Amino acid sequence: DADPTTQGRTQTLERTQTQRPRLYRVLLLNDDYTPMDFVVMVLERHFRKSEQEAQLIMLAVHHKGQGVAGVYTRDVAETKVAQVTAEARQHGYPLRLVAEPEA
Ligand code: TYC
């Protein structure tokens, strides 16, 4: 480079802290047709919620329109969206999920 202090040499800077990856929320969206039991099962199996937690999240989504199923790195969040969407379609349910970056 043209910087006179490095005289064309490449400089490497040390950083003590490791960068943390950006995290993504997996949002569960309400619809009129997906059975409540199926949504609870999804939250238990794919998002590792207890039955009680799963019931609370499902009901919150049912009443408010959407809610957070879990928070993950981008790859994991997108994989969960794809897997759960595929499983819902196999059952003929219109369940929708989306991954969105935190803050
Ligand atoms: N609203 C659906 C019903 O009454 C239940 C439901 C809850 C669907 C949450 C989707 O993400 C959802 N059967």
Side-chain angles (χ1 to χ4, degrees), residues 28-32 34-36 39 58 61-62 95:
L28 198 52
L29 308 182
N30 189 36
D31 67 74
D32 291 339
T34 304
M36 291 183 170
V39 177
M58 182 280 294
V61 174
H62 177 70
L95 184 64

Side-chain angles (χ1 to χ4, degrees), residues 28-30 34-63 66-70 72 95:
L28 198 52
L29 308 182
N30 189 36
T34 304
M36 291 183 170
D37 284 357
F38 182 80
V39 177
V40 170
M41 181 278 288
V42 158
L43 287 164
E44 291 174 347
R45 300 230 184 115
H46 291 269
F47 298 97
R48 308 186 61 143
K49 305 298 184 191
S50 69
E51 188 180 351
Q52 290 81 352
E53 264 183 297
Q55 285 281 355
L56 288 175
I57 294 169
M58 182 280 294
L59 284 176
V61 174
H62 177 70
H63 290 296
Q66 64 175 55
V68 179
Y72 306 95
L95 184 64

Side-chain angles (χ1 to χ4, degrees), residues 1 15-16 41 44 46 50 66-67 78 80 84 90 102:
D1 60 47
R15 233 174 352 95
T16 304
M41 181 278 288
E44 291 174 347
H46 291 269
S50 69
Q66 64 175 55
E78 287 176 351
K80 295 212 180 271
V84 174
Q90 283 167 17
E102 273 195 333

